[in-house]
Amino acid sequence: MKTVQLGRTGEQISQLALGCMIMGTVTPEDEAFAILDRYAEAGGNFLDTADCYCWWERRGSYGGESEELVGRWLTRTGRREDVFLATKGSAVVRDLDVVWADGRPNWDVAYKTFAGAGAKTLREAIDGSLRRLGTDHVDLYYVHVDDRATPLEETLEALAGIVQAGKARYIGWSNVRTWRLERIRRLCAQHGWPAPVALQQQHSYLRRRAGLRHASIVDDEQLDYLETHDDLTLVAYSPILKGIYDDPDKRRGHGAMEPYQGPDADARLAAAAEVAAEVGMTPNALVLAWLLHQTSPTIVPLIGPRTLQQYEAALPALDAKLTDEQFARLDTAAG
């Protein structure tokens, strides 16, 4: 598996990151271990989790199952030094009772009850994550959901303390607007605090529909910002949008399609299906190959397979052979 540099840090991370979100809940331990083993055997080294994963899968849980599973795998394999380990804090739900209704979590309520990125919260969160992961440090620590209720100075000073204490080597940010990212970077430069080296956002081949306001999906302004700030690497979550590229029936009415629905998406879906058929691969894998091909900015797709079969279905993207003309057709679909 090829590697790319994380920002300007000199760290080499796998071109394809492995998301561990549903491991230990939806994906049982034996299958999760098999996915992690295969990924490591293929040369993969970039693992991604969070302290809140996966509270919404088990009523009464505040999360932590994914970190605990990854910790058990690291202990079993002794691979901690081979892995670039990322986790996140700030999105644990404070009050589960108000979030669950009729046996299902209410996400609108959940977003209003996140623990946030206050100094005390982050300091306690990183300690909890390290305990569950069974390690004394993570390589990358994200603010999971941008917290506008807490002064940025408080959050950034706390993160600087976490780095200084050796509990995290680098910091990142997720689910954040570009203007906030610029303010974060300016404050870091002003105070000498460590600045984010990774930006984790939702990004795929489809482009979000015109007029949509969404803090978590990359837009043209954010792409332009990343093109001119190569000290930040884009880690693209939900790169295949729950697998909707492969299945027209699945994407009809699917929530993953809602931010993209429209003529632009139709044209790009058709282009992906056409080129995928030409090269003999699935549209899902083709989209991953397209993302891996991007260099301005560099994109690290973050896959989150539920099964070993889904993990293996992504691998053809690593060796895809597309012509310049095929990439051009994908790039220019819908104008």
Side-chain angles (χ1 to χ4, degrees):
M1 193 176 299
K2 294 179 181 177
T3 62
V4 295
Q5 183 178 190
L6 177 66
R8 298 182 196 152
T9 64
E11 301 286 347
Q12 291 294 312
I13 55 173
S14 301
Q15 198 177 20
L16 192 66
L18 181 61
C20 305
M21 180 175 74
I22 57 177
M23 293 183 180
T25 49
V26 176
T27 304
E29 185 155 320
D30 57 347
E31 189 156 21
F33 278 10
I35 294 169
L36 288 160
D37 287 343
R38 296 284 183 90
Y39 178 70
E41 289 161 5
N45 73 348
F46 191 8
L47 301 183
D48 181 274
T49 184
D51 62 352
C52 67
Y53 294 159
C54 254
W55 67 265
W56 55 91
E57 295 295 343
R58 293 177 180 168
R59 185 161 187 173
S61 169
Y62 283 94
E65 295 91 348
S66 171
E67 289 182 328
E68 289 172 349
L69 183 141
V70 171
R72 289 192 294 273
W73 180 79
L74 291 171
T75 298
R76 180 184 74 101
T77 61
R79 286 187 176 272
R80 176 63 189 94
E81 296 307 312
D82 302 326
V83 165
F84 193 88
L85 182 59
T87 194
K88 314 178 195 75
S90 77
V92 169
V93 173
R94 287 193 300 262
D95 188 348
L96 291 174
D97 290 339
V98 304
V99 169
W100 285 86
D102 300 322
R104 301 180 65 180
N106 183 320
W107 280 98
D108 290 335
V109 174
Y111 281 115
K112 297 174 184 176
T113 65
F114 285 159
K120 183 174 184 290
T121 299
L122 290 178
R123 286 194 290 265
E124 292 177 352
I126 187 64
D127 287 343
S129 289
L130 295 179
R131 183 176 62 254
R132 287 185 290 272
L133 289 164
T135 185
D136 62 356
H137 75 282
V138 293
D139 298 290
L140 178 61
Y141 192 58
Y142 291 97
V143 171
H144 198 162
V145 177
D146 189 35
D147 174 14
R148 298 197 199 178
T150 300
L152 279 173
E153 291 86 348
E154 178 182 342
T155 298
L156 290 166
E157 187 172 22
L159 291 170
I162 287 169
V163 172
Q164 186 175 21
K167 296 178 180 182
R169 296 174 62 213
Y170 303 102
I171 70 163
W173 229 270
S174 186
N175 302 297
V176 61
R177 293 195 180 276
T178 307
W179 69 267
R180 285 276 291 177
L181 189 60
E182 174 63 12
R183 185 169 295 179
I184 289 162
R185 288 162 54 87
R186 287 183 179 275
L187 284 170
C188 289
Q190 178 183 339
H191 293 278
W193 294 325
V197 298
L199 172 66
Q200 189 173 136
Q201 297 281 90
Q202 183 170 314
H203 187 56
S204 187
Y205 172 61
L206 297 187
R207 299 178 290 208
R208 70 187 200 177
R209 56 184 168 80
L212 178 70
R213 296 185 63 182
H214 204 301
S216 300
I217 301 177
V218 173
D219 59 10
D220 288 347
E221 180 184 19
Q222 202 156 74
L223 280 175
D224 180 70
Y225 189 85
L226 290 164
E227 286 171 5
T228 54
H229 296 86
D230 64 358
D231 55 335
L232 269 171
T233 294
L234 175 59
V235 179
Y237 73 80
S238 295
I240 58 172
L241 302 175
K242 311 294 185 184
I244 56 87
Y245 289 95
D246 279 3
D247 189 348
D249 291 332
K250 182 177 182 178
R251 60 180 172 258
R252 291 191 187 99
H254 197 293
M257 272 299 298
E258 196 278 332
Y260 305 94
Q261 200 75 56
D264 187 88
D266 293 342
R268 288 175 84 81
L269 286 165
E274 181 180 86
V275 175
E278 292 171 5
V279 298
M281 62 195 308
T282 66
N284 281 339
L286 178 85
V287 166
L288 291 174
W290 180 82
L291 289 165
L292 291 167
H293 180 73
Q294 307 305 304
T295 58
S296 184
T298 297
I299 297 171
V300 176
L302 173 63
I303 60 170
R306 178 174 52 84
T307 64
L308 182 59
Q309 182 179 15
Q310 287 181 353
Y311 167 72
E312 291 176 338
L315 297 183
L318 298 171
D319 300 310
K321 306 296 183 186
L322 276 69
T323 66
D324 290 343
E325 185 274 334
Q326 287 169 327
F327 276 120
R329 257 192 290 153
L330 291 170
D331 292 341
T332 58

